[in-house]
Amino acid sequence: MRLVIARCSVDYAGRLTAHLPSAPRLILVKADGSVSIHADDRAYKPLNWMSPPCTLKEGSGDEEGVWTVVNKAGEKLIITMEEVLHDSSHELGVDPGLIKDGVEAHLQELLADRIETLGEGYTLIRREYMTAIGPVDILCRDAEGRTVAVEIKRRGEIDGVEQLTRYLELLNRDPHLAPVRGVFAAQEIKPQARVLATDRGIGCQVLDYDAMRGIEDDKLRLF
C-alpha cells in the first residue's frame, strides 16, 4: 500500500463530473490498483475513488505532479499535486480476512449443513470460497443450477450488503460461475440494509439460529 499526504485538487470525469478544490488530503493506492482520496473526517468513506481494474499514470515534464487514474470504462480521476508532504509504501501481505464471532461462524456451519434452508433444491459448492478480496461465506447452486453467493452476519447492516456486492462483482467475472446472484443472510436484517440489498437485486434471508440448531421453542403449545 502506498500512502501519500499532499495538498492537491481532484477532478473526476465520467458519467458525472466532480471537483475537489485544493486542500491537504490522504491518497491511498492499494495493491489491487484502487485509488482513493480521503479527508480527515467522514470516518472510512473516501471523498472520491477509482475501483479496480484501473491504471495509474504519474505525469512527467510539463505534466509532473499530475496523476491520472483511468478505469476500464474510460472514466478518469485526475489528481493535481501542489505539495507532497509524505510519500511511503508498505507491504501488508495477504490479509487473513475478518474473523467472525462464534455465532456467525456457527451460522455458516449450520447453513452449509442445512443448505435447503435457502430453498428446495439448493446444493452446496463450498464454504469459505476464496476471492481476491476475501472468502465468500458460502457458494452454492439453486434448484436451476445457478450460482449463489451467501454472506452471513449475526446482525445484517449496510456494510454487509456492500461487502457482498464487492464479492458479486468479482465472482461475476468468472465465466465458470457467472451469472452469480447474492443472498444476504442474518439473524436480524436492518431495514436500511434490506432496502439496499433489494435495490441491488440481492435476496435477504432471516436465519433462526435456535431452529437451525434443532432447539425447540419452549413456549407452551395447545397441540
Side-chain angles (χ1 to χ4, degrees), residues 13 18 56 84 91 102 126 165 169 175 181 189-190 193 217-218:
L56 166 62
V84 176
E91 181 59 53
R126 67 168 297 168
T165 300
E169 183 180 350
R181 66 180 181 87
I189 299 177
K190 296 293 185 179
D217 190 341
D218 60 2

Side-chain angles (χ1 to χ4, degrees), residues 52-73:
C54 57
T55 58
L56 166 62
K57 180 181 178 181
E58 298 185 42
S60 58
D62 292 341
E63 295 293 316
E64 186 175 2
V66 178
W67 289 14
T68 304
V69 188
V70 184
N71 67 11
K72 63 180 180 180

Side-chain angles (χ1 to χ4, degrees), residues 8-11 27 35 37 65-69 77-81:
C8 62
S9 60
V10 183
D11 291 278
I27 303 166
V35 178
I37 296 97
V66 178
W67 289 14
T68 304
V69 188
L77 191 65
I78 302 169
I79 307 169
T80 303
M81 306 287 191

Side-chain angles (χ1 to χ4, degrees), residues 104 151-161 184-194 204-205:
E104 286 187 14
E151 179 62 26
I152 299 170
K153 299 292 183 187
R154 185 168 58 85
R155 180 182 294 114
E157 301 188 83
I158 283 178
D159 58 350
V161 178
F184 188 50
Q187 287 180 278
E188 173 193 3
I189 299 177
K190 296 293 185 179
Q192 299 93 331
R194 186 180 290 276
C204 292
Q205 178 81 36

